[in-house]
């Protein structure tokens, strides 16, 4: 008798879940979901202020102007890399690159609402969506040119950014060494960022800057990803790996810019 | 009737508040404390306090909210959280209805384990790549969520008589 009742309860709940998933798929539950989302998004607005408050409190104890210095360091790194890039390109390529960056892309500023709740991924929710022109795989930057991730899910008014330290993140990258080595920057459950598939015979050293290679669809060349911290080179393996320190503090992101193709 | 509606609305308000708090926790707390699952702690304490099946429907609502704030396919959290709470609810009636702090800790541990088993199966079915390090996160979640629920229940037990052991 008890087992019959349990079976009935189980199937009732199971069919309700199927019903909700089905109706959600066809956006038929938007009228219920939207008020909940609006209230929760509104509640999440102060989250960045709280984080900023704690960060500033910490800084007063350690170093007063650390935040400003960090921003200046990031901007300086962007400028230095740009100079390096510009020096090595010929005039024609420079013109093409400028045309590419200045004319084919535009930025959309967005506020970070929260991290998403999935422990599997290191993702952020931002307050701009498809209504603002954002689409899947658009790169997301801070500090004018530091790549932090890509758009992985888009809704009308909000989007999810997959950070570069996420397990599923993989971005084509170039090391600013003598050979301009290319490889793949991959994350690992928020625990770190690695660059894999670097050819074994190329010289890679700690401190080298890593930028986006332009080989990943939708991500322009020249966005800074980070610096090499440790090089892992095993003689029996065809490729070497490098542990990367991201150029931006991925645990502390308030404002971002999404790079989207310019509307013609 | 009105009392029942107001009670339902109050529970919905509570679960939304706990969900928002959970998002704050996951965003503001450093690793590994970001893995504390406040929603599960709240629902397990509710189950110990009231012992009614409405906890399963609250878990269902919490699952929908989690799905709305996740980049995974819609339904992963709803299915995992609801089914796991249904199983834990049945276990509660069979084995853990004595409201002891150890029963609560065991229920929390079982809930997180069952929830993550369903979650992992569903994400594998949705072709999401998983690595061994994911289980480190699960380990932290189980340890910290169980410890915090134990601590909270201990405080509540000392504060409110209704939580005390039925002997």
């Amino acid at each position: 008798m008890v087992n019959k009742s349990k079976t009935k309860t189980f199937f009732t709940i199971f069919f309700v879940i199927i019903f909700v998933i089905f109706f959600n798929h066809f956006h038929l539950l938007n009228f219920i979901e939207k008020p909940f989302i609006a209230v929760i998004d509104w509640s999440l607005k102060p989250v960045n202020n709280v984080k900023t408050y704690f960060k500033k409190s910490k800084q007063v104890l350690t170093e007063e102007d650390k935040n400003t210095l960090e921003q200046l360091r990031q901007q300086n790194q962007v400028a230095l890399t740009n100079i390096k890039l510009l020096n090595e390109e010929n005039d024609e390529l420079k013109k093409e690159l400028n045309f590419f960056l200045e004319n084919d892309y535009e930025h959309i500023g967005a506020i970070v609402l929260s991290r998403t709740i999935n422990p599997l991924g290191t993702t952020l929710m931002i307050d701009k969506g498809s209504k603002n022109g954002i689409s899947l795989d658009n790169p997301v930057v801070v500090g004018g040119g530091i790549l932090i991730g890509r758009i992985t899910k888009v809704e009308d008014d909000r989007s999810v950014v997959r950070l570069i330290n996420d397990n599923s993140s993989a971005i084509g990258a170039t090391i600013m060494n003598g050979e301009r080595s290319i490889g793949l920057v991959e994350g690992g459950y928020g625990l770190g960022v690695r660059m894999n598939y670097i050819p074994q015979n190329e010289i890679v050293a700690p401190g080298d800057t890593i930028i986006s290679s332009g080989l990943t669809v939708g991500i322009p060349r020249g966005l800074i990803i980070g610096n090499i911290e440790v090089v892992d080179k095993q003689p029996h393996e065809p490729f070497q790996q490098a542990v990367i320190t991201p150029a931006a503090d991925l645990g502390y992101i308030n404002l971002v810019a999404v790079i989207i193709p310019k509307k013609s | 009737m009105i009392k029942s509606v107001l009670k339902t609305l109050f529970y919905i308000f509570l679960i939304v508040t706990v969900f928002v708090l959970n998002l704050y926790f996951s965003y503001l707390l450093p690793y590994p404390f970001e893995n504390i699952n406040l929603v599960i702690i709240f629902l397990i304490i509710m189950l110990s306090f009231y012992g009614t099946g409405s906890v399963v429907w609250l878990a269902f609502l919490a699952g929908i909210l989690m799905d709305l704030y996740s980049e995974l396919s819609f339904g992963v959290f709803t299915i995992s959280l609801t089914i796991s709470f249904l199983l834990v609810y049945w276990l509660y009636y069979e084995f853990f209805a004595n409201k002891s702090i150890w029963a609560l800790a065991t229920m929390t541990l079982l809930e997180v384990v069952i929830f993550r088993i369903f979650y992992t199966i569903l994400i594998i079915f949705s072709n999401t790549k998983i690595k061994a390090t994911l289980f480190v996160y699960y380990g932290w979640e189980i340890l910290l969520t169980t410890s915090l629920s134990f601590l909270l229940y201990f405080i509540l037990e000392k504060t409110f008589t209704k939580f005390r052991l039925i002997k």
Side-chain angles (χ1 to χ4, degrees), chain B residues 4-72:
Chain B
S4 167
V5 172
L6 284 175
K7 205 174 170 183
T8 309
L9 287 175
F10 176 68
Y11 285 150
I12 292 171
F13 169 77
L14 269 184
I15 198 73
V16 171
T17 308
V18 172
F19 175 72
V20 170
L21 271 177
N22 198 30
L23 285 175
Y24 269 78
F25 263 51
S26 66
Y27 190 59
L28 296 173
L29 292 182
Y31 175 85
F33 299 100
E34 60 182 5
N35 296 304
I36 292 172
N37 197 323
L38 277 186
V39 173
I40 286 179
I41 293 172
F42 170 75
L43 290 170
I44 289 286
I45 289 176
M46 281 276 291
L47 181 63
S48 292
F49 190 78
Y50 293 110
T52 66
S54 54
V55 168
V56 179
W57 293 108
L58 283 177
F60 171 70
L61 178 62
I64 292 175
L65 293 177
M66 286 178 176
D67 272 327
L68 291 174
Y69 281 80
S70 158
E71 81 282 11
L72 297 171

Side-chain angles (χ1 to χ4, degrees), chain A residues 198-213:
Chain A
I198 307 164
Q200 181 71 277
N201 57 342
E202 295 181 358
I203 298 161
V204 180
D208 284 350
T209 302
I210 294 169
I211 61 167
S212 56
S213 63

Side-chain angles (χ1 to χ4, degrees), chain B residues 84-167:
Chain B
S84 61
F85 258 98
L86 184 65
L87 294 176
V88 166
Y89 172 67
W90 286 337
L91 287 173
Y92 169 79
Y93 265 95
E94 298 289 339
F95 306 107
F96 304 116
N98 65 351
K99 293 194 177 186
S100 81
I101 196 163
W102 297 107
L104 174 117
T106 313
M107 276 199 304
T108 312
L109 190 142
L110 284 172
E111 165 54 35
V112 182
V113 170
I114 298 168
F115 168 57
R116 285 302 169 197
I117 288 172
F118 276 103
Y119 174 86
T120 310
I121 292 168
L122 288 169
I123 58 170
I124 289 169
F125 272 112
S126 60
N127 287 329
T128 306
K129 189 173 68 174
I130 63 164
K131 284 182 189 170
T133 41
L134 177 65
F135 296 99
V136 176
Y137 273 71
Y138 288 175
W140 279 117
E141 187 183 27
I142 290 166
L143 179 72
L144 295 171
T145 305
T146 308
S147 306
L148 188 61
S149 73
F150 187 91
L151 188 71
L152 278 176
Y153 195 80
F154 180 77
I155 294 165
L156 287 168
E157 200 185 43
K158 294 282 174 202
T159 316
F160 302 105
T161 49
K162 200 170 178 180
F163 279 97
R164 283 182 191 158
L165 270 167
I166 297 166
K167 290 184 177 171

Side-chain angles (χ1 to χ4, degrees), chain A:
Chain A
M1 188 66 189
V2 176
N3 283 339
K4 204 176 172 185
S5 163
K6 279 181 180 174
T7 313
K8 197 179 162 187
T9 312
F10 179 81
F11 278 105
T12 308
I13 288 172
F14 183 75
F15 282 115
V16 170
I17 291 171
I18 297 297
F19 170 86
V20 168
I21 292 171
F22 178 80
F23 276 71
N24 179 75
H25 183 74
F26 294 102
H27 304 288
L28 296 171
L29 293 176
N30 278 0
F31 72 101
I32 300 173
E33 289 171 1
K34 292 256 172 178
F36 276 102
I37 289 171
V39 169
I40 293 169
D41 283 355
W42 175 80
S43 313
L44 291 172
K45 290 274 180 189
V47 73
N48 290 318
N49 296 336
V50 175
K51 190 143 190 168
T52 308
Y53 172 79
F54 281 115
K55 193 174 171 80
K56 277 182 179 168
S57 307
K58 213 175 167 185
Q59 283 163 4
V60 170
L61 292 171
T62 54
E63 200 177 334
E64 214 171 276
D65 226 355
K66 202 177 174 183
N67 196 24
T68 319
L69 283 172
E70 177 62 20
Q71 282 177 354
L72 284 170
R73 190 191 65 79
Q74 289 175 353
Q75 285 167 5
N76 192 32
Q77 203 176 1
V78 173
L80 280 171
T81 308
N82 282 339
I83 290 166
K84 234 176 176 181
L85 272 174
L86 287 167
N87 281 340
E88 71 173 31
E89 305 281 357
N90 62 40
D91 287 341
E92 196 173 331
L93 276 175
K94 269 194 271 180
K95 281 176 194 170
E96 280 180 19
L97 183 65
N98 285 336
F99 178 81
F100 182 64
L101 289 172
E102 290 172 17
N103 298 301
D104 287 350
Y105 289 92
E106 60 181 293
H107 293 74
I108 294 174
I111 296 169
V112 174
L113 292 172
S114 74
R115 279 181 185 274
T116 54
I117 201 145
N118 173 23
L120 188 69
T122 312
T123 50
L124 298 173
M125 181 85 71
I126 58 169
D127 72 338
K128 296 283 176 356
S130 57
K131 279 183 183 170
N132 308 95
I134 293 173
S135 57
L136 276 179
D137 293 332
N138 286 159
V140 182
V141 296
V142 295
I146 296 173
L147 183 70
I148 60 154
R150 300 164 79 181
I151 299 290
T152 186
K153 183 179 176 183
V154 190
E155 291 172 20
D156 288 350
D157 301 314
R158 30 183 227 156
S159 309
V160 176
V161 181
R162 189 185 298 286
L163 295 177
I164 55 170
N165 60 350
D166 183 278
N167 173 52
S168 305
S169 172
I171 292 161
T174 301
I175 303 171
M176 299 297 283
N177 57 356
E179 288 107 337
R180 296 291 182 262
S181 308
I182 57 165
L184 201 61
V185 170
E186 296 179 301
Y189 295 114
L191 296 175
V193 184
R194 295 181 80 90
M195 184 161 172
N196 298 319
Y197 307 112
I198 307 164
Q200 181 71 277
N201 57 342
E202 295 181 358
I203 298 161
V204 180
D208 284 350
T209 302
I210 294 169
I211 61 167
S212 56
S213 63
L215 298 172
T216 305
V217 176
I219 300 183
R221 179 178 160 80
L223 298 174
I224 295 174
I225 295 171
N227 295 89
I228 291 178
E229 196 179 317
V230 180
V231 180
D232 181 9
K233 189 174 182 175
Q234 302 294 336
H236 58 276
E237 288 180 358
F239 297 103
Q240 50 186 322
Q241 293 183 331
V243 177
I244 300 170
T245 308
D249 182 354
L250 299 173
Y252 174 67
I253 297 165
N254 288 339
L255 296 167
V256 297
V258 184
I259 300 175
I260 62 164
K262 203 167 191 175
K263 288 166 194 162
S264 55

